[in-house]
Each structure stands twice: as structure tokens, then as C-alpha cells.
Amino acid sequence: MTLRFRLAALYSVLFVATSMAVLVAVNVLFAYGVVYQSTTKSAVVDFGPDGTPIIERHAVTTGPVISIITLVVGVVLIGVSIWAGWWLSGRTLRPLGRITATARRLSLTNLDERIALKGPKDELKELADTFDAMLDRLERAVTAQSRFVANASHELRTPLAIQRAAIQIGLADPTPERIERFRAELLEANRRTERLIDGLLVLARSDHGLDEVEAVRFDRVAAEVVAGFPRVTLRSRPTTVMGDPVLLTQLVTNLVENGVRHNVPDGSVEVRLTPDDGLVVSNTGPEVPADRIPELFEPFRRMAPDRTRSADGSGLGLSIVASIARAHAMTVMARPNPGGGLMVRCRLPGPAGRSHFREAVGAGLAVDDQ
């Protein structure tokens, strides 16, 4: 039963009850509450044959007069009607006060608090459930942001620690050989920091969304990227998408680099691109458990412990892919290949540009079970 129906029923009952009370009060008024004041006037109008005077009498009514009881009953009825309307509306709208009080108490330290409104499935219940769902999303976003900041700080500390150690040790005994060796270590640490910062900038740009879009020949973008990887094969058909060409190039580059970097010796990487299937990148790398796939699309999350300190990547590759795909209304789907490796598919949006995102672990990510 909806809130609108309940309010209509309550106010109708109140109006009918008030009207009935008024009718009863009017009947009581005319039956018992009116005092009629009458006076009798007499006058001699003529004399009879025998000289007897003829007196004519008639009554004059001066009422009615409303008694004090009637006034008291009217005032009581008005007061009862006002109180009943105030009480009924307050009882009906009490959940709004609960929602408002919860919203005022919320802060970053107690985002786990929920309204959890009980009652009939009406508009107020739907509003409270929607507010709770928003708090769930906000709590997940804040948690992810805190984890991202902590991971980013940890990742940035590693090259800085390497640089500091190289400077301290190298300058302790500055022989030409030691200087050359520590110089190479410093340059590698600097390159790692640069790659990490570049990845963070791309991630921030893609998370911001697209300010301007244009028609991009996605197949040509894929061909240009694959041309830089000799052992990667490409099969494509003419495909045009609306988006940012720089971000789309970064998306293809990250997928191909991820397939090449995390592959077995003499393994293969295949790239397919069609308007129907979208962009598909598959490799023959190590086995990947299906339940671990969503973790790979989170920032700084790597598959194996030995990849945690890998100098070849920043741990942002697939998270950047998911962010760029989300900005272009694509759906990122991933599944392990039989015998090892990973297949990642970026399904293109429909002709109208409508997003095909599905509810899954990680924004814009779905694990393909096919």
C-alpha cells in the first residue's frame, strides 16, 4: 500500500469523522442547546354588546439563544480535529525524521551506519532503501580511495628507498665502478617512479570522464599499437567508436603490454577487434584462478607475490583499462584461458552509446564464465 493511498485514506477518514461530529453537534444544538424566549402581549381591542371588553392576546418569540454548552462543544471539536490531523501526519511522516537524523549524523568515520527502515513497501521505504544503497556505494568508494592512497604511497616509497640507499652506499666509497653501477640503479628507480606517476595521471584523467569525444577508427589504433610488438598477432575489421583517441590508444597498449609481460616463454598474444565482439586480447600465460580475476583490475593488485616488486610494471595497467572502458561505456569481461593465460574483452557500447555495464565485483568488470 503506497504512502499516497494511506494519506488519502487517513485524511478521508478524518474529514468524514469531523463532518459526522459537526452534524451530530448541530442536531444536539437544535434539540437541547437552543433556549427560546417568548413574551405574551395583551390588548383591549373592542367591547361586547353587554359592555364586556374583548381582550386579544398573542405571543412574541425573541429567541433562539445559543447556550454555553454548544460553544464549548464547538471549540472542543476544533481542537480535537487539529490534534488528530497533527498526530496522524506526524505518525505518517515519522520515517522522514529518521532519514534526516541519520543523514546529519553521517561522516567519514561512521559510513557503516544505515537507516534500515522497517514497514510497508511504500515511497518512504523506497527512499530509505535508496539512501542505504547510496551509503553502501559511498562506503565502498571511500574504502577503495583509502586503500588506493595507501598502496600508492607504498609504491612510491619503494623507488625512493632504492634511490636513497644507492646514494648513501655509492657515495660511501665513490669508485668509478660503483658510481656507474649505482647510477644505473638510480636511473631505473627514476624510470619506475615516472611510469607510476604517468599511470596515476592517466587513471585520474579516465576516472574524470570524457569532456570531448570524436569518431575514432579503433582498428587503426589497434594496428598502430600492435606494430610495436613483433610477436603479437592482430585480426581486425573496420570499427569506429566515439571517444578519446589518446585514452583508447592507452587502453589497447595496456592490454597488449599486459599480455606480453605476463606470458610464458615462446607464448603467443592474439588481438581481435570487430564491431560485434569488441576488442579481445588473449595470451598463453600462467594459469589464473577465476576468483582472482577481479583483483587484477584493482590498482596495485598483482597476481603473484613475485610481481609485487616487479620493475616492469606499476600495477596500474588493468585498472587503467577498466577506467578507460568505463569512460567509453564499454564492458570489460575477463576469463582464464584453458591451459593458462587470460582473455580480456572490451565489449563496445550499442549504436545509441548506451552503457552495457553489469553489476559485478569492480566497476565495469564482469567475469566471463563462457
Side-chain angles (χ1 to χ4, degrees):
M1 186 168 56
T2 65
L3 176 63
R4 185 176 183 180
F5 183 84
R6 288 162 55 194
L7 284 175
L10 288 174
Y11 294 153
S12 298
V13 170
L14 179 61
F15 177 78
V16 171
T18 305
S19 300
M20 294 298 296
V22 171
L23 291 177
V24 171
V26 170
N27 286 319
V28 172
L29 171 66
F30 281 100
Y32 304 103
V34 176
V35 178
Y36 291 91
Q37 295 183 353
S38 301
T39 57
T40 302
K41 294 184 178 180
S42 301
V44 177
V45 297
D46 203 355
F47 293 92
D50 54 356
T52 303
I54 299 175
I55 301 174
E56 181 178 349
R57 296 182 178 87
H58 61 276
V60 179
T61 303
T62 60
V65 177
I66 301 178
S67 67
I68 297 178
I69 296 177
T70 303
L71 294 176
V72 171
V73 170
V75 172
V76 169
L77 285 176
I78 293 174
V80 169
S81 299
I82 294 175
W83 175 84
W86 181 265
W87 179 80
L88 287 175
S89 61
R91 181 177 177 85
T92 303
L93 301 178
R94 186 181 302 167
L96 285 179
R98 184 173 175 181
I99 296 173
T100 303
T102 302
R104 287 174 178 172
R105 289 195 304 268
L106 286 177
S107 66
L108 291 179
T109 59
N110 61 343
L111 286 177
D112 58 336
E113 186 174 351
R114 298 293 182 270
I115 299 174
L117 185 65
K118 306 296 183 182
K121 190 69 176 179
D122 54 21
E123 285 84 352
L124 289 179
K125 180 68 164 57
E126 184 178 357
L127 175 62
D129 292 344
T130 303
F131 192 80
D132 286 343
M134 182 194 67
L135 290 179
D136 290 336
R137 296 191 297 270
L138 182 60
E139 184 181 13
R140 288 196 298 268
V142 171
T143 302
Q145 184 184 37
S146 301
R147 185 171 61 247
F148 177 83
V149 171
N151 291 334
S153 301
H154 184 74
E155 292 286 337
L156 286 171
R157 284 185 59 187
T158 301
L160 291 177
I162 295 174
Q163 294 178 43
R164 183 178 61 182
I167 293 174
Q168 290 176 346
I169 298 174
L171 294 180
D173 185 14
T175 62
E177 295 78 8
R178 290 170 63 87
I179 291 178
E180 182 63 25
R181 179 164 61 89
F182 287 112
R183 173 179 174 275
E185 292 183 5
L186 288 173
L187 288 176
E188 179 59 32
N190 182 266
R191 281 192 291 267
R192 179 176 177 178
T193 304
E194 185 178 2
R195 286 195 300 268
L196 179 59
I197 294 175
D198 289 341
L200 291 174
L201 291 175
V202 174
L203 186 61
R205 178 184 175 186
S206 57
D207 283 341
H208 174 70
L210 303 179
D211 296 328
E212 296 181 1
V213 296
E214 60 183 85
V216 180
R217 282 291 301 269
F218 205 15
D219 56 306
R220 294 178 181 174
V221 171
E224 293 176 0
V225 172
V226 171
F229 298 88
R231 303 188 63 176
V232 178
T233 61
L234 171 65
R235 291 185 298 167
S236 65
R237 285 166 35 196
T239 305
T240 301
V241 297
M242 299 299 297
D244 188 314
V246 176
L247 291 180
L248 290 174
T249 302
Q250 187 69 51
L251 182 145
V252 179
T253 301
N254 284 18
L255 285 176
V256 175
E257 284 185 348
N258 187 79
V260 172
R261 180 179 300 121
H262 307 296
N263 207 341
V264 295
D266 300 326
S268 63
V269 178
E270 181 181 357
V271 179
R272 302 191 308 272
L273 177 60
T274 62
D276 297 330
D277 295 335
L279 175 65
V280 180
V281 179
S282 178
N283 72 341
T284 55
E287 293 188 4
V288 180
D291 58 345
R292 298 288 305 278
I293 290 178
E295 300 179 10
L296 301 179
F297 288 83
E298 296 181 12
F300 308 112
R301 299 295 292 271
R302 300 175 174 91
M303 186 62 204
D306 59 343
R307 292 173 61 183
T308 304
R309 299 292 180 264
S310 173
D312 295 332
S314 61
L316 295 173
L318 292 182
S319 61
I320 292 176
V321 168
S323 179
I324 295 175
R326 182 169 56 250
H328 288 81
M330 299 180 185
T331 303
V332 181
M333 304 169 58
R335 66 171 174 83
N337 287 327
L342 188 68
M343 187 277 291
V344 180
R345 171 181 296 169
C346 296
R347 190 177 295 277
L348 304 181
R354 184 176 59 87
S355 174
H356 291 273
F357 287 114
R358 299 190 303 178
E359 186 93 13
V361 180
L365 171 65
V367 179
D368 191 358
D369 299 326
Q370 297 178 354

